[in-house]
Amino acid sequence: MSKMNIVLLEPEIPANTGNIGRTCVATGTRLHLIEPLGFRLGQKELKRAGMDYWQDLDVTRYMNWEDFLEKNPGAKIYMATTKSKTNYTDVKYEEDCFIMFGKESAGIPEEILVKNQKNCVRIPMNHDIRSLNLSNSVAIVLYEALRQNGFSDMEKQGNLHRLSWSE
């Protein structure tokens, strides 16, 4: 079974990473954290946002960008950035691709983006907005990638239980 991969390059805010971790558990997605992190993994804000799901998270840490590349040779990496001309809905995501997001204060460094322009994607938004919240951005792009792949191995239906008005 293939899995999607979310990559966070030097995340700074523990609550965002906790929320992203919870989204990853809910979708069967791997989380890759590239150091330095702006927090400790045991920090209470991280655990609060990730709730009790953090223990079920498939997470890997890397010392730096080079370490990540070395341990994931040939990985197809899409890079989310406000600097891209390509919308996130305009690409076809492979089942096991990596979708990378930069740190909250600065995004992905320009030198990385320049070398990977053809794999950069953006979320459309009003021109006077700098960026969306990191955990929201991850959810938007990840769910598009999952949708394109038929939400493989995910529960796709719920059940409503009809209640009478007197109940």
Side-chain angles (χ1 to χ4, degrees), residues 11 21 25-26 36 41-42 51 57 63 67-69 73 75 82 98 104 107-108 120 133 137 142 145 147 151 160 165:
V25 171
L41 284 181
M51 297 183 70
L57 180 62
M63 296 301 295
D67 184 36
F68 171 80
L69 290 176
T82 58
F98 291 72
E104 291 90 339
I108 299 170
C120 291
N133 173 275
S137 296
L142 175 59
R147 183 196 67 78
F151 296 109
L160 291 175
W165 287 105

PDB file of all heavy atoms in Angstrom, residues 11 21 25-26 36 41-42 51 57 63 67-69 73 75 82 98 104 107-108 120 133 137 142 145 147 151 160 165:
ATOM      1  N   PRO A  11       9.655  23.449  10.783  1.00  0.00           N
ATOM      2  CA  PRO A  11       8.440  24.041  11.360  1.00  0.00           C
ATOM      3  C   PRO A  11       8.749  24.755  12.673  1.00  0.00           C
ATOM      4  O   PRO A  11       9.634  24.333  13.414  1.00  0.00           O
ATOM      5  CB  PRO A  11       7.526  22.839  11.575  1.00  0.00           C
ATOM      6  CG  PRO A  11       8.457  21.681  11.727  1.00  0.00           C
ATOM      7  CD  PRO A  11       9.620  21.991  10.813  1.00  0.00           C
ATOM      8  N   GLY A  21       0.048  16.597  12.303  1.00  0.00           N
ATOM      9  CA  GLY A  21       0.217  15.204  12.712  1.00  0.00           C
ATOM     10  C   GLY A  21      -1.120  14.493  12.834  1.00  0.00           C
ATOM     11  O   GLY A  21      -1.274  13.349  12.383  1.00  0.00           O
ATOM     12  N   VAL A  25      -2.438  11.225  10.671  1.00  0.00           N
ATOM     13  CA  VAL A  25      -2.970   9.982  11.230  1.00  0.00           C
ATOM     14  C   VAL A  25      -4.340   9.693  10.617  1.00  0.00           C
ATOM     15  O   VAL A  25      -4.627   8.552  10.223  1.00  0.00           O
ATOM     16  CB  VAL A  25      -3.057  10.054  12.774  1.00  0.00           C
ATOM     17  CG1 VAL A  25      -3.817   8.856  13.337  1.00  0.00           C
ATOM     18  CG2 VAL A  25      -1.665  10.120  13.385  1.00  0.00           C
ATOM     19  N   ALA A  26      -5.176  10.710  10.480  1.00  0.00           N
ATOM     20  CA  ALA A  26      -6.534  10.532   9.940  1.00  0.00           C
ATOM     21  C   ALA A  26      -6.530  10.089   8.486  1.00  0.00           C
ATOM     22  O   ALA A  26      -7.499   9.484   8.017  1.00  0.00           O
ATOM     23  CB  ALA A  26      -7.324  11.831  10.078  1.00  0.00           C
ATOM     24  N   PRO A  36      16.220  22.333  11.726  1.00  0.00           N
ATOM     25  CA  PRO A  36      15.850  22.478  13.129  1.00  0.00           C
ATOM     26  C   PRO A  36      14.354  22.741  13.297  1.00  0.00           C
ATOM     27  O   PRO A  36      13.724  23.390  12.466  1.00  0.00           O
ATOM     28  CB  PRO A  36      16.665  23.686  13.595  1.00  0.00           C
ATOM     29  CG  PRO A  36      16.896  24.494  12.367  1.00  0.00           C
ATOM     30  CD  PRO A  36      16.955  23.510  11.233  1.00  0.00           C
ATOM     31  N   LEU A  41       9.637  18.013  20.543  1.00  0.00           N
ATOM     32  CA  LEU A  41       8.534  17.125  20.186  1.00  0.00           C
ATOM     33  C   LEU A  41       7.667  16.748  21.384  1.00  0.00           C
ATOM     34  O   LEU A  41       6.529  16.347  21.207  1.00  0.00           O
ATOM     35  CB  LEU A  41       9.053  15.865  19.486  1.00  0.00           C
ATOM     36  CG  LEU A  41       9.477  16.079  18.042  1.00  0.00           C
ATOM     37  CD1 LEU A  41       9.964  14.777  17.424  1.00  0.00           C
ATOM     38  CD2 LEU A  41       8.358  16.666  17.206  1.00  0.00           C
ATOM     39  N   GLY A  42       8.154  16.891  22.579  1.00  0.00           N
ATOM     40  CA  GLY A  42       7.345  16.593  23.757  1.00  0.00           C
ATOM     41  C   GLY A  42       6.560  17.788  24.271  1.00  0.00           C
ATOM     42  O   GLY A  42       5.841  17.675  25.250  1.00  0.00           O
ATOM     43  N   MET A  51      -3.642  15.802  19.951  1.00  0.00           N
ATOM     44  CA  MET A  51      -4.488  15.014  20.835  1.00  0.00           C
ATOM     45  C   MET A  51      -3.860  13.649  21.094  1.00  0.00           C
ATOM     46  O   MET A  51      -2.668  13.519  21.140  1.00  0.00           O
ATOM     47  CB  MET A  51      -5.909  14.934  20.280  1.00  0.00           C
ATOM     48  CG  MET A  51      -6.563  16.316  20.204  1.00  0.00           C
ATOM     49  SD  MET A  51      -8.242  16.272  19.636  1.00  0.00           S
ATOM     50  CE  MET A  51      -9.077  15.521  21.018  1.00  0.00           C
ATOM     51  N   LEU A  57       1.172   8.279  14.998  1.00  0.00           N
ATOM     52  CA  LEU A  57       1.729   8.977  13.843  1.00  0.00           C
ATOM     53  C   LEU A  57       2.964   8.274  13.299  1.00  0.00           C
ATOM     54  O   LEU A  57       3.860   7.892  14.042  1.00  0.00           O
ATOM     55  CB  LEU A  57       2.090  10.414  14.241  1.00  0.00           C
ATOM     56  CG  LEU A  57       2.680  11.308  13.166  1.00  0.00           C
ATOM     57  CD1 LEU A  57       1.700  11.508  12.025  1.00  0.00           C
ATOM     58  CD2 LEU A  57       3.063  12.652  13.774  1.00  0.00           C
ATOM     59  N   MET A  63      18.025  15.483  10.119  1.00  0.00           N
ATOM     60  CA  MET A  63      18.908  16.518  10.651  1.00  0.00           C
ATOM     61  C   MET A  63      18.843  17.812   9.837  1.00  0.00           C
ATOM     62  O   MET A  63      18.976  18.895  10.380  1.00  0.00           O
ATOM     63  CB  MET A  63      20.360  16.013  10.702  1.00  0.00           C
ATOM     64  CG  MET A  63      20.558  14.850  11.659  1.00  0.00           C
ATOM     65  SD  MET A  63      20.086  15.258  13.366  1.00  0.00           S
ATOM     66  CE  MET A  63      21.293  16.486  13.752  1.00  0.00           C
ATOM     67  N   ASP A  67      20.057  15.618   4.573  1.00  0.00           N
ATOM     68  CA  ASP A  67      19.765  14.325   5.186  1.00  0.00           C
ATOM     69  C   ASP A  67      18.454  13.762   4.627  1.00  0.00           C
ATOM     70  O   ASP A  67      18.361  12.571   4.304  1.00  0.00           O
ATOM     71  CB  ASP A  67      19.697  14.486   6.707  1.00  0.00           C
ATOM     72  CG  ASP A  67      19.483  13.177   7.448  1.00  0.00           C
ATOM     73  OD1 ASP A  67      20.015  12.133   7.014  1.00  0.00           O
ATOM     74  OD2 ASP A  67      18.779  13.197   8.491  1.00  0.00           O
ATOM     75  N   PHE A  68      17.454  14.614   4.503  1.00  0.00           N
ATOM     76  CA  PHE A  68      16.171  14.188   3.929  1.00  0.00           C
ATOM     77  C   PHE A  68      16.366  13.663   2.507  1.00  0.00           C
ATOM     78  O   PHE A  68      15.861  12.591   2.148  1.00  0.00           O
ATOM     79  CB  PHE A  68      15.160  15.341   3.939  1.00  0.00           C
ATOM     80  CG  PHE A  68      13.911  15.030   3.172  1.00  0.00           C
ATOM     81  CD1 PHE A  68      12.906  14.268   3.741  1.00  0.00           C
ATOM     82  CD2 PHE A  68      13.755  15.480   1.874  1.00  0.00           C
ATOM     83  CE1 PHE A  68      11.763  13.952   3.016  1.00  0.00           C
ATOM     84  CE2 PHE A  68      12.614  15.181   1.148  1.00  0.00           C
ATOM     85  CZ  PHE A  68      11.616  14.414   1.716  1.00  0.00           C
ATOM     86  N   LEU A  69      17.067  14.424   1.667  1.00  0.00           N
ATOM     87  CA  LEU A  69      17.289  14.010   0.276  1.00  0.00           C
ATOM     88  C   LEU A  69      18.065  12.695   0.193  1.00  0.00           C
ATOM     89  O   LEU A  69      17.745  11.829  -0.619  1.00  0.00           O
ATOM     90  CB  LEU A  69      18.039  15.102  -0.488  1.00  0.00           C
ATOM     91  CG  LEU A  69      17.263  16.385  -0.775  1.00  0.00           C
ATOM     92  CD1 LEU A  69      18.175  17.407  -1.440  1.00  0.00           C
ATOM     93  CD2 LEU A  69      16.023  16.110  -1.615  1.00  0.00           C
ATOM     94  N   PRO A  73      15.984   9.060  -1.788  1.00  0.00           N
ATOM     95  CA  PRO A  73      16.472   9.299  -3.149  1.00  0.00           C
ATOM     96  C   PRO A  73      15.373   9.079  -4.189  1.00  0.00           C
ATOM     97  O   PRO A  73      14.578   8.154  -4.077  1.00  0.00           O
ATOM     98  CB  PRO A  73      17.603   8.279  -3.313  1.00  0.00           C
ATOM     99  CG  PRO A  73      17.279   7.192  -2.347  1.00  0.00           C
ATOM    100  CD  PRO A  73      16.583   7.867  -1.187  1.00  0.00           C
ATOM    101  N   ALA A  75      12.695  10.695  -4.692  1.00  0.00           N
ATOM    102  CA  ALA A  75      11.336  11.015  -4.266  1.00  0.00           C
ATOM    103  C   ALA A  75      10.747  12.120  -5.135  1.00  0.00           C
ATOM    104  O   ALA A  75      11.429  13.087  -5.470  1.00  0.00           O
ATOM    105  CB  ALA A  75      11.334  11.455  -2.799  1.00  0.00           C
ATOM    106  N   THR A  82       3.838  30.272  -2.089  1.00  0.00           N
ATOM    107  CA  THR A  82       3.073  31.371  -2.680  1.00  0.00           C
ATOM    108  C   THR A  82       3.764  31.909  -3.931  1.00  0.00           C
ATOM    109  O   THR A  82       3.183  32.691  -4.675  1.00  0.00           O
ATOM    110  CB  THR A  82       2.906  32.522  -1.673  1.00  0.00           C
ATOM    111  OG1 THR A  82       4.196  32.973  -1.258  1.00  0.00           O
ATOM    112  CG2 THR A  82       2.103  32.079  -0.454  1.00  0.00           C
ATOM    113  N   PHE A  98       5.649  13.167  -2.176  1.00  0.00           N
ATOM    114  CA  PHE A  98       5.957  13.983  -1.011  1.00  0.00           C
ATOM    115  C   PHE A  98       5.447  15.397  -1.300  1.00  0.00           C
ATOM    116  O   PHE A  98       5.686  15.925  -2.385  1.00  0.00           O
ATOM    117  CB  PHE A  98       7.467  14.047  -0.775  1.00  0.00           C
ATOM    118  CG  PHE A  98       8.069  12.739  -0.315  1.00  0.00           C
ATOM    119  CD1 PHE A  98       8.206  11.672  -1.191  1.00  0.00           C
ATOM    120  CD2 PHE A  98       8.500  12.582   0.993  1.00  0.00           C
ATOM    121  CE1 PHE A  98       8.771  10.473  -0.788  1.00  0.00           C
ATOM    122  CE2 PHE A  98       9.071  11.380   1.409  1.00  0.00           C
ATOM    123  CZ  PHE A  98       9.203  10.321   0.515  1.00  0.00           C
ATOM    124  N   GLU A 104       6.791  28.502   9.008  1.00  0.00           N
ATOM    125  CA  GLU A 104       5.728  29.493   9.042  1.00  0.00           C
ATOM    126  C   GLU A 104       6.210  30.909   8.729  1.00  0.00           C
ATOM    127  O   GLU A 104       5.516  31.656   8.041  1.00  0.00           O
ATOM    128  CB  GLU A 104       5.040  29.491  10.425  1.00  0.00           C
ATOM    129  CG  GLU A 104       4.227  28.250  10.699  1.00  0.00           C
ATOM    130  CD  GLU A 104       4.986  27.115  11.355  1.00  0.00           C
ATOM    131  OE1 GLU A 104       6.238  27.068  11.272  1.00  0.00           O
ATOM    132  OE2 GLU A 104       4.345  26.250  11.952  1.00  0.00           O
ATOM    133  N   GLY A 107       8.588  30.213   4.738  1.00  0.00           N
ATOM    134  CA  GLY A 107       8.333  29.259   3.668  1.00  0.00           C
ATOM    135  C   GLY A 107       9.570  28.446   3.321  1.00  0.00           C
ATOM    136  O   GLY A 107      10.525  28.348   4.097  1.00  0.00           O
ATOM    137  N   ILE A 108       9.552  27.874   2.129  1.00  0.00           N
ATOM    138  CA  ILE A 108      10.682  27.091   1.641  1.00  0.00           C
ATOM    139  C   ILE A 108      11.719  28.057   1.084  1.00  0.00           C
ATOM    140  O   ILE A 108      11.374  28.972   0.337  1.00  0.00           O
ATOM    141  CB  ILE A 108      10.228  26.108   0.535  1.00  0.00           C
ATOM    142  CG1 ILE A 108       9.183  25.134   1.099  1.00  0.00           C
ATOM    143  CG2 ILE A 108      11.421  25.346  -0.053  1.00  0.00           C
ATOM    144  CD1 ILE A 108       8.484  24.286   0.043  1.00  0.00           C
ATOM    145  N   CYS A 120       6.664  23.084  -8.064  1.00  0.00           N
ATOM    146  CA  CYS A 120       6.102  24.026  -7.100  1.00  0.00           C
ATOM    147  C   CYS A 120       4.615  24.235  -7.373  1.00  0.00           C
ATOM    148  O   CYS A 120       4.191  24.312  -8.528  1.00  0.00           O
ATOM    149  CB  CYS A 120       6.838  25.361  -7.169  1.00  0.00           C
ATOM    150  SG  CYS A 120       8.528  25.288  -6.554  1.00  0.00           S
ATOM    151  N   ASN A 133      -2.594  29.714   7.076  1.00  0.00           N
ATOM    152  CA  ASN A 133      -2.023  28.966   8.185  1.00  0.00           C
ATOM    153  C   ASN A 133      -1.444  27.652   7.660  1.00  0.00           C
ATOM    154  O   ASN A 133      -2.021  27.011   6.784  1.00  0.00           O
ATOM    155  CB  ASN A 133      -3.113  28.698   9.224  1.00  0.00           C
ATOM    156  CG  ASN A 133      -2.650  27.785  10.324  1.00  0.00           C
ATOM    157  OD1 ASN A 133      -2.702  26.568  10.171  1.00  0.00           O
ATOM    158  ND2 ASN A 133      -2.170  28.350  11.401  1.00  0.00           N
ATOM    159  N   SER A 137      -3.066  24.874   5.089  1.00  0.00           N
ATOM    160  CA  SER A 137      -2.463  24.652   3.766  1.00  0.00           C
ATOM    161  C   SER A 137      -2.171  23.181   3.533  1.00  0.00           C
ATOM    162  O   SER A 137      -2.431  22.640   2.450  1.00  0.00           O
ATOM    163  CB  SER A 137      -1.180  25.472   3.629  1.00  0.00           C
ATOM    164  OG  SER A 137      -1.464  26.849   3.681  1.00  0.00           O
ATOM    165  N   LEU A 142      -3.118  18.220   0.734  1.00  0.00           N
ATOM    166  CA  LEU A 142      -3.149  16.777   0.983  1.00  0.00           C
ATOM    167  C   LEU A 142      -4.474  16.171   0.546  1.00  0.00           C
ATOM    168  O   LEU A 142      -4.501  15.128  -0.117  1.00  0.00           O
ATOM    169  CB  LEU A 142      -2.881  16.473   2.458  1.00  0.00           C
ATOM    170  CG  LEU A 142      -2.998  15.001   2.873  1.00  0.00           C
ATOM    171  CD1 LEU A 142      -2.034  14.115   2.087  1.00  0.00           C
ATOM    172  CD2 LEU A 142      -2.776  14.865   4.379  1.00  0.00           C
ATOM    173  N   ALA A 145      -4.646  15.777  -3.156  1.00  0.00           N
ATOM    174  CA  ALA A 145      -3.837  14.629  -3.597  1.00  0.00           C
ATOM    175  C   ALA A 145      -4.557  13.318  -3.289  1.00  0.00           C
ATOM    176  O   ALA A 145      -4.590  12.405  -4.127  1.00  0.00           O
ATOM    177  CB  ALA A 145      -2.464  14.667  -2.924  1.00  0.00           C
ATOM    178  N   ARG A 147      -7.842  12.929  -2.939  1.00  0.00           N
ATOM    179  CA  ARG A 147      -9.015  12.878  -3.816  1.00  0.00           C
ATOM    180  C   ARG A 147      -8.625  12.338  -5.194  1.00  0.00           C
ATOM    181  O   ARG A 147      -9.289  11.461  -5.737  1.00  0.00           O
ATOM    182  CB  ARG A 147      -9.653  14.260  -3.958  1.00  0.00           C
ATOM    183  CG  ARG A 147     -10.930  14.260  -4.820  1.00  0.00           C
ATOM    184  CD  ARG A 147     -11.318  15.656  -5.254  1.00  0.00           C
ATOM    185  NE  ARG A 147     -10.364  16.240  -6.176  1.00  0.00           N
ATOM    186  CZ  ARG A 147     -10.282  15.946  -7.482  1.00  0.00           C
ATOM    187  NH1 ARG A 147     -11.092  15.053  -8.019  1.00  0.00           N
ATOM    188  NH2 ARG A 147      -9.384  16.538  -8.247  1.00  0.00           N
ATOM    189  N   PHE A 151      -9.045   8.489  -2.578  1.00  0.00           N
ATOM    190  CA  PHE A 151      -9.071   8.307  -1.120  1.00  0.00           C
ATOM    191  C   PHE A 151      -8.764   6.855  -0.761  1.00  0.00           C
ATOM    192  O   PHE A 151      -9.434   6.234   0.070  1.00  0.00           O
ATOM    193  CB  PHE A 151     -10.409   8.745  -0.519  1.00  0.00           C
ATOM    194  CG  PHE A 151     -10.700  10.205  -0.688  1.00  0.00           C
ATOM    195  CD1 PHE A 151     -11.675  10.644  -1.565  1.00  0.00           C
ATOM    196  CD2 PHE A 151      -9.986  11.148   0.026  1.00  0.00           C
ATOM    197  CE1 PHE A 151     -11.940  11.996  -1.725  1.00  0.00           C
ATOM    198  CE2 PHE A 151     -10.242  12.504  -0.129  1.00  0.00           C
ATOM    199  CZ  PHE A 151     -11.225  12.922  -1.003  1.00  0.00           C
ATOM    200  N   LEU A 160     -25.818   8.188   9.117  1.00  0.00           N
ATOM    201  CA  LEU A 160     -26.674   8.982   9.988  1.00  0.00           C
ATOM    202  C   LEU A 160     -27.703   8.053  10.606  1.00  0.00           C
ATOM    203  O   LEU A 160     -28.221   7.151   9.942  1.00  0.00           O
ATOM    204  CB  LEU A 160     -27.390  10.074   9.185  1.00  0.00           C
ATOM    205  CG  LEU A 160     -26.518  11.198   8.657  1.00  0.00           C
ATOM    206  CD1 LEU A 160     -27.351  12.127   7.780  1.00  0.00           C
ATOM    207  CD2 LEU A 160     -25.903  11.966   9.802  1.00  0.00           C
ATOM    208  N   TRP A 165     -38.129  13.461  16.451  1.00  0.00           N
ATOM    209  CA  TRP A 165     -38.077  14.756  17.123  1.00  0.00           C
ATOM    210  C   TRP A 165     -38.329  14.634  18.630  1.00  0.00           C
ATOM    211  O   TRP A 165     -37.929  15.481  19.391  1.00  0.00           O
ATOM    212  CB  TRP A 165     -39.128  15.702  16.525  1.00  0.00           C
ATOM    213  CG  TRP A 165     -38.716  16.178  15.166  1.00  0.00           C
ATOM    214  CD1 TRP A 165     -39.199  15.788  13.970  1.00  0.00           C
ATOM    215  CD2 TRP A 165     -37.673  17.121  14.882  1.00  0.00           C
ATOM    216  NE1 TRP A 165     -38.542  16.416  12.953  1.00  0.00           N
ATOM    217  CE2 TRP A 165     -37.592  17.259  13.487  1.00  0.00           C
ATOM    218  CE3 TRP A 165     -36.800  17.864  15.671  1.00  0.00           C
ATOM    219  CZ2 TRP A 165     -36.687  18.091  12.856  1.00  0.00           C
ATOM    220  CZ3 TRP A 165     -35.915  18.712  15.044  1.00  0.00           C
ATOM    221  CH2 TRP A 165     -35.848  18.816  13.651  1.00  0.00           C
TER     222      TRP A 165
END
